[in-house]
Amino acid sequence: MKTTLTVVMTTVLSNLAFAQIGINTAEPIASLDVNAKKRDGSTAEGILPPRLTGDQMRAGDAKYSDLHAGTIVYATAPVISATSKTTNVNSAGLYFFDGKIWQKMMQGDEKTLNAKSSGDIKNSVKSFDHNGWYLLNGRNISTLPAGAQAAAASLGFTDSLPDATDRVLKTRNGTEMLGSEGGNNSITLTRSNLPNVNFVGVVSGIAESGGAHSHAAGQGGFLLGGTTVGNNGSGNYQGNSTPTSWGGVGILGNTATGGAHTHSLAGIATVPTGGDGTSVDNRSAYLVVNTFIYLGD
């Protein structure tokens, strides 16, 4: 241990005049130039940053300000009860302080998949704010942390966040305001929404009394009463009907029973549709999730 410190201190002091520090090198080419002690794999090489648990990082919150931006720490365990500065410390790994919050240093696919910026939207089955993501539930931005309030205001949300409850996301057209709400989950059809078809049904009603009609004459006879001419002697009608009966008063060509005729029916026929005006659910089959917006701190 003493030997190592002596070597390091000697190296540091020997390079002060050049304003550059080299470790394991007499000719540093940067402000701090660390060379491997050996290159044959016989020793462990590299730079080992400070190692702290998430809770230990949280305990030092008051010590970190924008002057400490760029500080690197390796978290050995996630924070249990996060603060605004340690909200992202959710797993073991390298973290750097950006002046306001500890950010995880990601590599490769992890960095691509987790890249995010203020205003990004995502869906999740989580039900609460997490890692800089805030639930879009219409809340007043005054309830958010100071950093998140500033981010929300920069996006145009000065009073409250949009409410995504029971809504789907829609791409903006040229005149719509981002974050505005519209549409309905159900619709009610009106007469103009119905298809142009004829309904088939049974019409019932009563013909007009005394409506326009005509009768056609048929064959038959009728008898006249109240005469003593040609009767059967007992005051009754004669039992035949010929033109010569009752002294020629019999008449041929009586109106036939049920003779041909027509009636006209006036009014409006109503055929019921069978419906009751129930609203139609306008949504496709769905999976219920929550919608979040990224606001950082």
Side-chain angles (χ1 to χ4, degrees), residues 242-263:
T242 63
T244 58
S245 299
W246 307 289
V249 298
I251 298 176
L252 182 66
N254 300 325
T255 301
T257 302
H261 61 279
T262 61
H263 291 270

Side-chain angles (χ1 to χ4, degrees), residues 38-254:
K38 293 186 178 181
R39 301 178 186 276
D40 58 5
S42 60
T43 59
E45 303 293 342
I47 297 174
L48 189 61
R51 289 168 289 180
L52 300 170
T53 67
D55 288 337
Q56 289 171 331
M57 294 168 66
R58 180 199 64 202
D61 268 3
K63 301 296 183 180
Y64 291 93
S65 68
D66 54 356
L67 297 176
H68 297 85
T71 301
I72 297 175
V73 169
Y74 182 85
T76 58
V79 65
I80 295 177
S81 180
T83 58
S84 60
K85 289 182 180 179
T86 57
T87 185
N88 290 334
V89 186
N90 52 17
S91 63
L94 280 171
Y95 290 82
F96 72 94
F97 190 69
D98 67 3
K100 293 183 178 180
I101 189 172
W102 288 100
Q103 302 283 7
K104 188 173 184 180
M105 298 173 65
M106 300 177 184
Q107 300 295 325
D109 292 340
E110 184 184 13
K111 183 176 181 180
T112 301
L113 292 173
N114 290 278
K116 53 189 177 293
S117 59
S118 181
D120 285 353
I121 298 290
K122 77 168 183 177
N123 293 122
S124 173
V125 294
K126 288 188 176 182
S127 58
F128 49 85
D129 301 338
H130 57 282
N131 302 335
W133 293 95
Y134 292 85
L135 184 63
L136 286 176
N137 58 359
R139 78 183 93 171
N140 194 294
I141 66 169
S142 63
T143 62
L144 303 176
Q149 290 186 43
S154 70
L155 296 171
F157 306 131
T158 56
D159 295 320
S160 60
L161 293 178
D163 190 355
T165 304
D166 209 16
R167 296 181 181 276
V168 296
L169 303 182
K170 172 190 173 297
T171 303
R172 175 182 180 271
N173 68 26
T175 60
E176 290 177 316
M177 180 180 296
L178 289 171
S180 60
E181 302 164 8
N184 294 292
N185 290 323
S186 62
I187 56 175
T188 301
L189 298 178
T190 64
R191 183 176 181 182
S192 61
N193 300 126
L194 299 177
N196 185 19
V197 298
N198 294 321
F199 290 102
V200 177
V202 177
V203 179
S204 62
I206 300 174
E208 286 188 44
S209 176
H213 62 282
S214 63
H215 292 273
Q219 295 297 321
F222 63 90
L223 303 178
L224 293 176
T227 178
T228 59
V229 179
N231 62 33
N232 61 3
S234 60
N236 297 319
Y237 293 117
Q238 185 170 316
N240 61 63
S241 55
T242 63
T244 58
S245 299
W246 307 289
V249 298
I251 298 176
L252 182 66
N254 300 325

